[in-house]
Amino acid sequence: MKKIFVVVLGLISTGIVWGQEIDVVPAPVEVKYTGGVANVENELGVVIGSRAFTQAVKKLDPAIKEEAYRLTLTDKGYRIEAMTEIGVIRAKSTLSQLGEGTPACVIFDYPRFTYRGFMLDISRHFRTKDFIIKQIEALATLKINVLHLHLTDAAGWRIQIDRYPRLTSQAAWRVGETWQEWCDRGYRYSTEGAPDAYGGYLTKDDVREILAAADKYAITVIPEIEMPGHSQEVVRAYPEVGCYPTSDDLCPGKEATFEFLEGVLDEIIDLFPSHYIHIGGDEAGKADWHNCPDCQARMKAEGLSSVEELQSYLVRRIETYLRSRGRDLIGWDEILEGGLSPNATVMSWRGTQGGIDAMKEGHDAIMTPGGFCYFDKAQDAPVFEPKAIGGCLPFGRVASYDPEAGIPEECKPYLKGLQANLWHEYIPEPYHTEYMTYPRIAALAETGWSPAGEKKALRERAIKWADSLRDGSLTGKTFKVFDLRAERGQRPESLVPAEHLARGKKVIYTTPWHPSYVAGAELALTDGRRGDWSFADGAWQGFLSDVDVTVDLGSVMPVHYAGATFLSEPGPWIFLPRKVTILLSEDGVAFREAAVIDKEVSGEPDGFVTYGSVLSGQARYVRIKADRYKEWLFVDEIIVN
Ligand code: ACM
Ligand code: ZN
């Protein structure tokens, strides 16, 4: 009794709560509590390469060793041990999250993966040097170590290239601020200083400042120069590098294209110290390559049998050029098509298969699968969130991603890490960039750094981290941050199976579902499964046509209600139907119209809308016909009572 009393008094006098642990994201590998409260302000010393620490990390992979550190926190102050300056910087990231009342402890820490990236697309909507540096400061607290800058795309070229001035005087400026406006106004470009010009670019001095800020936190900035697709802006400014002046892709048949690309890359290499240069490679339409005389001549001369091989020819030549200048190439997983160039690293975005295929061939891979790493999706119920590209990627789903899951053992040595991608089509404002990034990136950072496994209390730690980011106490600057405390979580209807007369009954499809959104196939609309917020969750069935489906109840029975719920998400072109007709039949041949529900569809987000009606009479067959407004219709369940 007496003993317990003494312990309690002791805790009160030191000011800490019994059992308190440090709250750091990403969670360190090992924390040993030594009793008492630490002084986190007073630096007692920094030691690089001590014999004791060298011994402590001797079993770690050399690249991981570089970032390892030991942070000893006592009542007198803190001491850092590391093998390199980078390790010291990582220790200071941990320290940045520790405040008053931190329990005294010894933290021994090192990363799970050597590549923990964040991609910022500054083409679709330009972001300034100061904004980028602000994000570097925030990302550094999470030990993110790569900032991948998507610098060029059809929507705007964003980097000064002295040899090709029209890239910044013309290709960096478009007509129309938002994605929709640019589309509505015909995807036109403008010129610097023109009244209708929207855009901007980083000067070389801007880049030098960004690089200096990144260097301070041991963050590598990887530049991406897109080729040969996503290049309309280049072809409009320098038509000689397209098959035709109207082409969307660069022309791999023309030598002028290689002269241009090498000229651009020369300046990129001179500016960026990154060993890796990202060359894009995704989503090239290649349409003009089939009839362009130069492309056809190239294919003949090089013995190439497809346009995929022609793209591969371009990527290989560029890789050879980069290697001649001491650099290596990264590309999106399309660079596998037509044959991968010898030393390329693949960024796997269309799921993980591209990465696996590359690793099987002995190439390094970085995982960025869309279903877990695409931060352009809303992070909560899309119907309540700002307009986004479509779909939903909540914090918990980001946290659930394990890059090693499903990866064959022999591939794992080539798995370098993971990256979040923030595409900016629907992110016009800088504050919105921050809102889409934080705190989701904390979940990705935890996966990248902390040992595989539990992610104990990650949500609580991320909330605390996000609060300090939001209020300016973490980096000295305030941020717009999504509030995880207010997250709605899953759509309530999706959590409880729907019970009704049609449950488990056969559905006859007069119009087929779309193969990309099959959901539960012929049972999807009567399986009791209601959809979650995301149209791609496997419960929503998609139609790229009107919908005409009939439920067979098995026998004639009284029917009092029938209806179906449709999804509205204009970002990915999913709209409500403008009309739903409910028909009943006893024999499946003669149908009588039982209800017609008309709706004014605006194209604005409307969430989930049930088109249903109270009915009277008997039926065996309940038919639902939905007339499209335009593009997609998504239905989760037909309810009959
Ligand atoms: C990509 O999302 N097109 C790489
Ligand atoms: Zn061509």
Side-chain angles (χ1 to χ4, degrees), residues 145-471:
N145 68 344
V146 175
L147 175 67
H148 163 183
L149 284 180
H150 185 74
L151 290 166
T152 75
D153 210 298
W157 182 280
R158 304 294 178 214
I159 177 131
Q160 176 188 350
I161 300 292
D162 297 324
R163 187 166 160 195
Y164 296 101
R166 294 204 294 276
L167 291 173
T168 44
S169 66
Q170 295 179 14
W173 306 94
R174 69 171 186 249
V175 178
E177 184 161 338
T178 65
W179 196 248
Q180 189 62 48
E181 214 185 322
W182 187 46
C183 161
D184 291 346
R185 297 177 73 173
Y187 296 112
R188 284 187 296 120
Y189 298 92
S190 186
T191 50
E192 189 165 15
D196 63 356
Y198 170 81
Y201 58 89
L202 298 173
T203 65
K204 288 188 174 174
D205 282 340
D206 290 339
V207 171
R208 288 183 194 104
E209 280 189 55
I210 291 168
L211 291 169
D215 193 50
K216 201 169 132 195
Y217 299 106
I219 290 178
T220 301
V221 180
I222 297 184
E224 180 184 350
I225 303 296
E226 264 279 9
M227 62 188 82
H230 288 272
S231 295
Q232 289 94 323
E233 89 290 17
V234 174
V235 180
R236 295 308 167 271
Y238 291 95
E240 61 271 27
V241 302
C243 297
Y244 309 105
T246 53
S247 295
D248 292 343
D249 305 320
L250 305 180
C251 173
K254 296 184 173 67
E255 278 308 298
T257 302
F258 291 93
E259 190 186 330
F260 170 84
L261 288 174
E262 290 172 9
V264 167
L265 289 173
D266 278 343
E267 295 190 32
I268 293 294
I269 288 165
D270 289 346
L271 195 53
F272 289 88
S274 164
H275 180 70
Y276 290 100
I277 305 292
H278 201 306
I279 59 91
D282 58 316
E283 299 179 314
K286 309 178 184 81
D288 291 337
W289 298 0
H290 294 278
N291 47 41
C292 162
D294 296 311
C295 284
Q296 290 303 310
R298 177 81 76 193
M299 287 174 70
K300 195 159 173 226
E302 299 290 334
L304 309 172
S305 58
S306 66
V307 288
E308 284 70 34
E309 287 183 20
L310 184 56
Q311 163 149 339
S312 178
Y313 166 83
L314 177 139
V315 175
R316 281 169 200 264
R317 263 187 77 167
I318 294 300
E319 189 194 358
T320 304
Y321 189 72
L322 288 176
R323 285 182 72 78
S324 78
R325 300 227 32 205
R327 306 298 176 94
D328 273 322
L329 175 152
I330 301 183
W332 300 110
D333 57 52
E334 285 92 334
I335 65 169
L336 281 153
E337 295 161 9
L340 196 50
S341 50
N343 292 283
T345 294
V346 168
M347 210 167 247
S348 192
W349 72 280
R350 298 176 299 178
T352 56
Q353 195 55 49
I356 293 170
D357 292 346
M359 291 188 283
K360 281 189 172 157
E361 290 181 33
H363 291 261
D364 287 345
I366 297 153
M367 291 302 189
T368 68
F372 296 95
C373 297
Y374 267 44
F375 283 21
D376 50 346
K377 295 179 180 157
Q379 62 202 305
D380 201 3
V383 287
F384 302 107
E385 289 295 301
K387 184 170 179 175
I389 201 144
C392 185
L393 180 65
F395 182 90
R397 186 163 167 84
V398 179
S400 74
Y401 177 53
D402 179 0
E404 286 182 283
I407 304 297
E409 211 51 46
E410 73 272 18
C411 291
K412 288 185 181 169
Y414 302 103
L415 177 60
K416 294 301 146 191
L418 77 170
Q419 175 171 292
N421 296 331
L422 186 50
W423 300 104
H424 264 62
E425 287 91 334
Y426 295 97
I427 308 182
E429 301 295 339
Y431 76 84
H432 193 189
T433 302
E434 294 179 355
Y435 180 84
M436 298 297 272
T437 307
Y438 310 111
R440 275 189 286 195
I441 190 67
L444 185 123
E446 176 108 345
T447 305
W449 180 280
S450 308
E454 168 185 24
K455 295 190 163 83
K456 191 176 157 199
L458 170 61
R459 181 173 287 266
E460 291 72 24
R461 283 182 285 123
I463 286 174
K464 193 171 164 191
W465 174 84
D467 285 347
S468 69
L469 185 70
R470 186 185 293 111
D471 69 17

Side-chain angles (χ1 to χ4, degrees), residues 108-171:
F108 177 55
D109 204 9
Y110 53 85
R112 177 180 175 195
F113 293 109
T114 55
Y115 189 112
R116 306 174 303 277
F118 177 69
M119 188 215 74
L120 192 59
D121 163 17
I122 63 166
S123 169
R124 274 53 175 268
H125 287 283
F126 178 59
R127 295 290 176 260
T128 63
K129 156 202 82 174
D130 290 338
F131 180 84
I132 294 168
I133 291 173
K134 184 184 175 203
Q135 309 318 311
I136 286 173
E137 291 162 357
L139 296 167
T141 70
L142 297 170
K143 303 183 177 73
I144 292 290
N145 68 344
V146 175
L147 175 67
H148 163 183
L149 284 180
H150 185 74
L151 290 166
T152 75
D153 210 298
W157 182 280
R158 304 294 178 214
I159 177 131
Q160 176 188 350
I161 300 292
D162 297 324
R163 187 166 160 195
Y164 296 101
R166 294 204 294 276
L167 291 173
T168 44
S169 66
Q170 295 179 14

Side-chain angles (χ1 to χ4, degrees), residues 5 25 32 42 194 221 283-284 291 301 303 334 349-350 378 408 413 454 507 511 517 527 572 577 612:
F5 195 67
V25 198
K32 284 192 179 139
N42 189 36
V221 180
E283 299 179 314
N291 47 41
E334 285 92 334
W349 72 280
R350 298 176 299 178
E454 168 185 24
V507 179
T511 52
Y517 301 100
D527 59 2

